[in-house]
């Protein structure tokens, strides 16, 4: 088998890259070890930056997004039981859109299959070879059990943090990592959101977040220890704790059936460079951010936009400048997002050690941010997403 770009992973990074390549007339094959049903149902991020939404519109992927997505023009910082609104659109002229990652994935899969393009699910035994040659290969077993070899010009490793691509070149990478001393207990509840916007809440008992996925489904999070057993959190305890942390004058938390719940540890992670030979890493395969800043999926989309442009230049003219600059270009945005996500996380989460000095610093930062238009503007422009071509 032969293609121009072999893509490992059918998440937002891999599927969006395949879509952009197709629009540029470049052939690709997408390989995914999970089933289509699993990929389309796994609940992940739900906040799309303004540049991400614009790219989806420009590339013909926004029909359901525009019909079902929830534009948000601000969000609340809640501390001391009081809301302080971050007026995103007023401060930046842009907004975010709440639209689940799995919905973006559904749209991308539908577009690819409608075009009759190669997308293989439930492949196993994936490995990459000859990355330093001009004919790298992907070996795998397809869903029927047949052994396959896919020869490519370029391989895109879009297979996530636990995938095979980054470990295949680990000796050539430098890793930067920070593991946080807390996790998020996330729940998906069949109940209307209790507030029209997101609420980021600092509380003595720990951080809480009120988010949403639709007018009928609410997404909520609680700060918990990183090794917290989910069995310790029956539904009644979850709602009671959310009610305590999110309490504010005039706010009523609406409870309902919890459809999903789980505990997610938090880390910052960057692997440099994001390229080795003909293998290009993108999205979670190369970097992880704490979810506080809502950057994960948006960074993945930004990565593959850069990679698609480099591939288009290479296949049309033979020029490699954009591909050669891929890692440096992406990493400037990645480190900006890492800093913003670290800053949001550090400001809003309680230190499990309970250091009173750190707690006073957090409240000082929150109060300053809420009272300063300059600080609010900086927060807002990072949150809605810096333009793709802006210096980072």
């Amino acid at each position: 088998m032969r293609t121009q770009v072999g893509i490992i992973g059918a998440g937002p990074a891999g599927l969006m890259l395949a879509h952009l390549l197709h629009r540029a007339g470049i052939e690709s094959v997408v390989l995914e070890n999970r089933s289509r049903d699993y990929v389309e149902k796994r609940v992940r991020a739900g906040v799309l930056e303004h540049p991400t939404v614009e790219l989806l519109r420009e590339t013909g992927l926004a029909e359901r997004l525009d019909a079902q997505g929830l534009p948000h023009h601000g969000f609340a910082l809640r501390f001391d039981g009081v809301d302080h609104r971050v007026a995103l659109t007023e401060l930046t002229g842009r907004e975010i859109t709440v639209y689940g990652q799995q919905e973006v994935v559904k749209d991308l899969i539908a577009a690819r299959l409608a075009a009759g393009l190669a997308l293989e699910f439930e492949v196993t035994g994936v490995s990459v070879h000859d990355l330093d040659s001009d004919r790298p290969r992907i070996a795998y077993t397809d869903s029927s059990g047949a052994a396959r070899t896919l020869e490519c010009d370029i391989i895109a490793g879009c297979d996530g943090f636990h995938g095979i691509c980054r470990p295949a070149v680990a000796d050539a990478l430098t890793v930067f990592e920070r593991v946080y001393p807390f996790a998020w207990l996330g729940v998906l509840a069949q109940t209307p959101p209790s507030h029209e916007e997101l609420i980021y809440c600092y509380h003595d008992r720990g951080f809480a977040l009120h988010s949403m996925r639709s007018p009928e489904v609410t997404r909520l999070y609680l700060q918990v220890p990183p090794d917290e057993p989910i069995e310790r959190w029956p539904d009644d305890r979850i709602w009671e704790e959310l009610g305590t942390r999110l309490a504010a004058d005039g706010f009523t938390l609406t409870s309902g059936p919890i459809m999903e719940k789980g505990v997610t540890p938090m880390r910052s992670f960057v692997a440099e460079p994001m390229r080795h030979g003909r293998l290009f890493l993108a999205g979670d395969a190369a970097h992880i951010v704490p979810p506080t800043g809502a950057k994960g999926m948006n960074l993945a989309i930004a990565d593959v936009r850069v990679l698609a442009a480099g591939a288009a230049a290479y296949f049309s003219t033979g020029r490699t400048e954009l591909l050669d600059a891929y890692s440096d270009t992406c990493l400037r945005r990645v480190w900006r997002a890492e800093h913003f996500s670290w800053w949001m996380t550090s400001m809003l989460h309680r230190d499990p050690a309970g250091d009173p000095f750190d707690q006073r610093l957090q409240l000082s930062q929150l109060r300053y941010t809420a009272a300063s238009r300059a600080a609010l503007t900086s927060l807002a422009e990072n949150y809605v997403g810096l333009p793709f071509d802006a210096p980072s």
Side-chain angles (χ1 to χ4, degrees), residues 344-375:
M344 287 277 285
T345 301
S346 301
M347 180 172 64
L348 288 163
H349 290 72
R350 289 297 299 269
D351 181 355
D355 186 334
F357 187 86
D358 286 343
Q359 293 167 12
R360 297 300 191 277
L361 290 179
Q362 288 176 304
L363 283 169
S364 175
Q365 181 64 61
L366 282 163
R367 289 165 181 157
Y368 168 72
T369 300
S372 166
R373 186 175 180 87

Side-chain angles (χ1 to χ4, degrees), residues 44-192:
R44 293 291 187 271
V47 173
L48 302 186
E49 292 178 350
H50 182 79
T52 300
V53 172
E54 290 299 294
L55 181 62
L56 292 171
R57 287 177 177 148
E58 290 167 10
T59 57
L61 292 168
E63 182 177 352
R64 284 204 318 132
L65 166 64
D66 287 332
Q68 301 176 20
L70 305 175
H72 282 227
H73 302 283
F75 67 86
L77 285 177
R78 180 173 291 179
F79 57 94
D80 296 333
V82 177
D83 280 351
H84 306 267
R85 187 168 186 265
V86 182
L88 298 173
T89 305
E90 177 186 328
L91 292 164
T92 69
R94 303 188 299 279
E95 71 284 329
I96 60 164
T97 301
V98 173
Y99 188 67
Q101 174 176 312
Q102 73 274 18
E103 303 304 323
V104 175
V105 167
K106 288 177 188 175
D107 296 339
L108 285 161
I109 289 174
R112 187 157 184 86
L113 295 181
L117 301 172
L119 172 54
E120 297 191 42
F121 292 101
E122 300 182 79
V123 305
T124 58
V126 180
S127 58
V128 291
H129 306 272
D130 301 330
L131 300 177
D132 291 316
S133 75
D134 60 0
R135 287 292 183 269
R137 296 178 294 113
I138 305 172
Y140 67 99
T141 301
D142 68 19
S143 58
S144 72
R148 303 287 186 186
T149 298
L150 179 64
E151 187 180 88
C152 319
D153 295 291
I154 290 171
I155 295 174
C158 305
D159 52 344
F161 184 76
H162 299 289
I164 62 96
C165 288
R166 188 183 68 254
V169 295
D171 291 345
L173 305 178
T174 300
V175 168
F176 303 86
E177 185 171 20
R178 173 164 295 174
V179 177
Y180 296 87
F182 37 74
W184 277 13
L185 190 163
V187 302
L188 198 66
Q190 188 67 52
T191 182

Side-chain angles (χ1 to χ4, degrees), residues 5 7-21 28 30 32 39 42 55 101 104-105 108 156-160 274 280-287 296-308 326:
V5 182
I7 301 173
I8 302 174
L15 291 167
M16 189 66 195
L17 175 60
H19 183 71
L20 294 173
L21 294 174
S28 66
V30 183
E32 168 61 45
V39 169
R42 59 184 168 191
L55 181 62
Q101 174 176 312
V104 175
V105 167
L108 285 161
C158 305
D159 52 344
M274 291 171 56
F280 295 79
L281 302 175
D284 287 1
H287 43 73
M297 174 173 56
N298 295 289
L299 274 182
I301 298 295
D303 287 349
V304 298
R305 178 181 175 273
V306 176
L307 182 52
Y326 168 74

Side-chain angles (χ1 to χ4, degrees), residues 324-345:
D324 293 340
Y326 168 74
S327 182
D328 289 342
T329 301
C330 290
L331 284 169
R332 285 195 293 271
R333 189 179 190 91
V334 167
W335 280 111
R336 173 88 296 274
E338 291 283 356
H339 181 272
F340 177 68
S341 298
W342 163 84
W343 177 76
M344 287 277 285
T345 301

